[in-house]
Amino acid sequence: MRRIAFAALLLAGPAFAVGLPSEMLQDPAQEARAREIGRELRCLVCQNQSIEDSEAGLARDLRRIVRERVSAGESDAQVVAFVHDRYGDFVLLRPPFNAVTAVLWGAPLLALGGGVLAIVLSRRRMRSALVAEVAPLSPEERARLAALELIEEDKRIS
């Protein structure tokens, strides 16, 4: 019986993302709004999940706060602003572009540019190494090379 109940919970998936059904709002429209808001807020513990996807205690508390504010009649922007005022830009999964987050938004471009620059410089070095002129052999080097070639030829014949 436990296995059946567990399988049912796994199949339900997102329906129980909030956790306990008692945590969900009674009004389906308000619950849907709360979930949409929760998908925009980052779990401060997990950091790569929204509060709707996280099972951390802090995420549960934030979900409760969001649902309380939605049921109190606040707009989506007011609810997000309330959480943002308390936790800062980090709580937003899509932080705004400003002086503080400019590095965050620009880091992928900087990394890409650095990679392209490294490839270009590496190719230039290889090309210049291939094009570099080879100095002709001296008479002593020619004699040594001829001797080595004779030794190798003798080894092949033997």
Side-chain angles (χ1 to χ4, degrees), residues 77-89 91-92:
Q78 289 173 321
V79 176
V80 170
F82 177 83
V83 176
H84 179 252
D85 289 344
R86 277 143 190 82
Y87 295 99
D89 287 337
V91 78
L92 302 175

Side-chain angles (χ1 to χ4, degrees), residues 29-30 32-34 36-37 40-41 66 69-70 73-82:
Q30 286 184 339
R33 274 187 55 219
E36 280 302 312
I37 294 169
E40 295 177 19
L41 301 174
V66 166
R69 297 219 163 248
V70 166
E74 290 187 9
S75 70
D76 294 2
Q78 289 173 321
V79 176
V80 170
F82 177 83

Side-chain angles (χ1 to χ4, degrees), residues 66-123:
V66 166
R67 280 163 178 72
E68 286 173 359
R69 297 219 163 248
V70 166
S71 65
E74 290 187 9
S75 70
D76 294 2
Q78 289 173 321
V79 176
V80 170
F82 177 83
V83 176
H84 179 252
D85 289 344
R86 277 143 190 82
Y87 295 99
D89 287 337
F90 188 74
V91 78
L92 302 175
L93 279 173
R94 286 178 282 162
F97 185 80
N98 57 35
V100 175
T101 61
V103 174
L104 174 68
W105 285 100
L109 294 174
L110 289 173
L112 182 64
V116 168
L117 182 65
I119 290 170
V120 168
L121 291 176
S122 174
R123 287 190 165 214

Side-chain angles (χ1 to χ4, degrees), residues 29-56:
Q30 286 184 339
E31 179 62 25
R33 274 187 55 219
R35 284 180 189 237
E36 280 302 312
I37 294 169
R39 286 188 187 98
E40 295 177 19
L41 301 174
R42 179 189 321 272
C43 173
L44 299 170
V45 176
C46 304
Q47 296 184 7
N48 63 343
Q49 291 181 323
S50 72
I51 63 170
E52 287 297 315
D53 298 328
S54 175
E55 294 182 20

